Amino acid sequence: ANIFIYKMTIEIDSNDVIRLMLQFMKENNLNESAKILQKESGVSLNTVNSIESFISDIQHGRWESVLSQLSLVSLPLEKSSNLYEQIIFELLEIGEKELAIELLKKAEPLEYLKNEQATRYHKLVNLCQRPSFNPSDAYEGGLTKEKRRHEIAESLSNEVTVVQPSRLLSIIKQSLKYQ
């Protein structure tokens, strides 16, 4: 009896391997390591655990959760500056002026706004300097906080995907099984 052994060659894109590593790091709270790998490789992991909960977090203004989910997501600067602008509006609305000013000074998307859309940036600076927040000064053209949140949720949901959890471990288990 003749036995034929076929040897298969599979090519794997190194960016896919990096994405698996990034997902593993994210799932195991190795966020600094993941940020460094992302920076050095130029590969982003634009995933969230659930698109529906991500959208819900935006629409309900749960900004801490949104920013946490976006910590390893690479967004176009225009979209991320829209998000941060909204967060500043809402911080001012609840009286968190110091936090709004701190965010205005330190968030990279707002630095982009300062350099590329100076009028919008200066509007934020002016809003931070006022004694109280008036929504009509922030939202123009009949826009409301809820409508703006909806626009941002729709815009950002197009930038992220959901992936099956623990993919790297699953692949390793499968490879060990067939060794």
Side-chain angles (χ1 to χ4, degrees):
N2 291 333
I3 299 175
F4 294 99
I5 299 175
Y6 294 98
K7 189 174 183 180
M8 291 181 32
T9 304
I10 299 173
E11 288 194 31
I12 300 171
D13 184 2
S14 62
N15 289 346
D16 290 336
V17 174
I18 292 170
R19 282 187 197 90
L20 286 170
M21 292 167 59
L22 287 169
Q23 181 186 1
F24 176 83
M25 290 174 178
K26 179 182 176 185
E27 290 172 349
N28 290 279
N29 295 319
L30 300 169
N31 295 325
E32 290 304 311
S33 299
K35 285 178 186 177
I36 291 168
L37 179 58
Q38 236 177 229
K39 183 178 180 183
E40 289 181 351
S41 67
V43 176
S44 297
L45 181 70
N46 283 10
T47 63
V48 293
N49 295 335
S50 161
I51 298 280
E52 295 78 17
S53 66
F54 177 66
I55 289 171
S56 176
D57 285 344
I58 294 170
Q59 290 177 338
H60 291 95
R62 294 186 287 262
W63 302 119
E64 194 172 325
S65 174
V66 171
L67 292 176
S68 173
Q69 291 178 71
L70 292 177
S71 65
L72 295 176
V73 172
S74 179
L75 293 172
L77 282 170
E78 178 66 32
K79 290 185 179 190
S80 57
S81 63
N82 288 340
L83 170 66
Y84 277 85
E85 181 181 49
Q86 182 63 29
I87 293 171
I88 286 180
F89 288 163
E90 294 192 30
L91 286 171
L92 292 171
E93 183 178 7
I94 62 171
E96 290 286 348
K97 185 186 277 194
E98 294 81 20
L99 188 53
I101 291 169
E102 192 69 22
L103 194 60
L104 190 60
K105 290 178 182 177
K106 293 190 176 177
E108 181 186 343
L110 296 171
E111 186 66 30
Y112 160 81
L113 205 60
K114 181 180 182 180
N115 296 328
E116 299 298 321
Q117 296 182 22
T119 305
R120 270 177 74 192
Y121 180 82
H122 289 298
K123 175 183 173 180
L124 289 173
V125 170
N126 289 335
L127 287 171
C128 287
Q129 293 171 345
R130 294 184 184 172
S132 62
F133 179 78
N134 183 347
S136 63
D137 293 334
Y139 305 107
E140 298 171 351
L143 211 56
T144 63
K145 174 171 62 175
E146 291 72 23
K147 286 181 185 175
R148 182 81 194 275
R149 284 177 177 178
H150 180 76
E151 287 177 357
I152 292 169
E154 191 173 306
S155 170
L156 296 184
S157 68
N158 294 328
E159 298 293 330
V160 295
T161 58
V162 175
V163 293
Q164 177 186 352
S166 303
R167 291 185 305 161
L168 181 60
L169 295 178
S170 297
I171 290 169
I172 292 171
K173 285 177 187 173
Q174 287 175 354
S175 69
L176 291 173
K177 185 175 165 181
Y178 294 107
Q179 234 181 5

